[in-house]
Amino acid sequence: MIHTVDSIPYVTLNDLCKTLQLRMKWQQETATVSLGDYAPEYVLQVGSTDATKAGKAMKLPQSPILSNSEVLLPVCSIGSLFQDELQFTVMEKSIQFSPVKQASIKASFHIGEATEKPSGEVGSHKIRAKGARTQGSADDLVQRARRYVGVGYEFAAAPFPESGTFDASSYLQYIFQHEGIPLARSLSEQAEQGTRVQPDKLQKGDVLFFQEAYRYRTSHAAHAGLYIGDYQMIHAAPEPKKGVQISRIDTVYWNDRFVKAQRMVAPGSK
């Protein structure tokens, strides 16, 4: 429903997030609100046109406001935030959304025999990221990642030492950081780091990116996990368990949502 304040049409951010099936976190001390899927992709500042999308600063046409404890987003700012993912038509008292047509993404998880040893373990390789020196082994990375199984999930989690929780991207950022590899905070940025890998060439330590089967968001990198071998990944998610968990990826659920894999690793090194 559209709300008019001082002749300006707004939508409540809570209603918008429910419609688009996004998570939302309000931080009163900073008057900011984070939006996203399994991790924050958008950060808005109440009373300011300054915003962040996928780690990049941007300007909104008009600023969000706070009214009766609700964050209201100007209708004119919806397009600036979501123009790559949806189209919308403003009606008299409501907004009609429709997806931007994009090619569907289908892939299957098949581990190449040359990549994986009979035991299900892959050879040692060095981790790398854009602008980073190669260091640390994939085995070390996976071992560190496993230490946090059971740690709680929280959308838009503060740094782990402060919050004791992770979201999808902060978890990956934290474990790579402790192997000397800087990853970006947002999933969209992480999805552009490293080198793309074909699903049949997966190796332990590769990062897997997934979309959500949302009505309006058809090829967005909404979630990510670390491939640990044997058709499994470790990731921070709100379900089926709320926290860092290990899931099998050779399922219809993950195959239908798979977007791509990125290698922050260089094979063949010790």
Side-chain angles (χ1 to χ4, degrees):
M1 179 177 291
I2 294 177
H3 305 267
T4 302
V5 179
D6 295 332
S7 301
I8 299 174
Y10 292 87
V11 294
T12 65
L13 208 50
N14 188 52
D15 287 345
L16 182 64
C17 287
K18 286 180 180 178
T19 299
L20 301 181
Q21 300 184 47
L22 296 175
R23 291 178 175 87
M24 169 181 164
K25 183 177 181 179
W26 165 249
Q27 294 174 294
Q28 187 171 353
E29 64 276 9
T30 58
T32 58
V33 60
S34 300
L35 316 175
D37 293 285
Y38 287 77
E41 287 290 305
Y42 313 90
V43 180
L44 311 180
Q45 177 85 47
V46 168
S48 173
T49 56
D50 293 331
T52 302
K53 178 179 180 178
K56 297 179 176 61
M58 62 176 294
K59 285 282 188 182
L60 299 176
Q62 289 181 316
S63 61
I65 63 172
L66 193 63
S67 176
N68 297 323
S69 300
E70 287 269 17
V71 179
L72 303 183
L73 181 69
V75 170
C76 64
S77 294
I78 295 175
S80 299
L81 286 173
F82 303 110
Q83 61 183 345
D84 297 330
E85 294 132 25
L86 59 83
Q87 298 170 334
F88 65 96
T89 303
V90 179
M91 317 295 280
E92 185 178 353
K93 293 184 178 180
S94 63
I95 301 176
Q96 181 179 1
F97 293 98
S98 59
V100 173
K101 291 184 179 180
Q102 295 168 325
S104 61
I105 300 171
K106 292 291 181 182
S108 298
F109 293 103
H110 299 291
I111 312 304
E113 292 181 1
T115 300
E116 195 150 15
K117 295 180 180 178
S119 65
E121 298 299 322
V122 297
S124 176
H125 44 265
K126 296 290 183 176
I127 305 163
R128 68 177 179 141
K130 289 183 178 178
R133 296 178 60 185
T134 60
Q135 54 183 302
S137 72
D139 287 337
D140 292 339
L141 178 70
V142 171
Q143 184 178 11
R144 176 173 292 278
R146 286 180 177 272
R147 294 179 194 171
Y148 301 98
V149 170
V151 169
Y153 170 88
E154 179 187 3
F155 177 73
F160 179 69
E162 173 188 338
S163 66
T165 58
F166 292 114
D167 59 40
S169 64
S170 71
Y171 174 60
L172 292 172
Q173 185 186 49
Y174 187 78
I175 59 175
F176 273 95
Q177 171 190 327
H178 280 76
E179 293 299 322
I181 306 303
L183 289 190
R185 178 63 173 94
S186 76
L187 287 172
S188 294
E189 290 176 292
Q190 289 180 1
E192 297 305 316
Q193 292 187 253
T195 304
R196 189 161 186 168
V197 182
Q198 294 303 312
D200 61 347
K201 302 296 183 183
L202 288 180
Q203 293 190 358
K204 186 189 299 184
D206 291 343
V207 180
L208 310 176
F209 293 90
F210 303 89
Q211 64 183 359
E212 260 300 355
Y214 291 163
R215 182 177 177 187
Y216 305 115
R217 301 162 63 75
T218 55
S219 64
H220 181 75
H223 188 46
L226 185 76
Y227 184 65
I228 61 174
D230 293 329
Y231 302 95
Q232 295 180 315
M233 71 169 174
I234 187 167
H235 58 126
E239 54 188 1
K241 303 174 183 177
K242 190 174 182 179
V244 178
Q245 56 197 283
I246 295 174
S247 300
R248 293 198 63 83
I249 60 173
D250 55 341
T251 65
V252 172
Y253 181 90
W254 291 115
N255 268 261
D256 283 350
R257 289 160 173 77
F258 179 67
V259 174
K260 65 175 180 175
Q262 292 292 113
R263 179 159 296 158
M264 316 299 180
V265 295
S269 304
K270 288 190 176 181

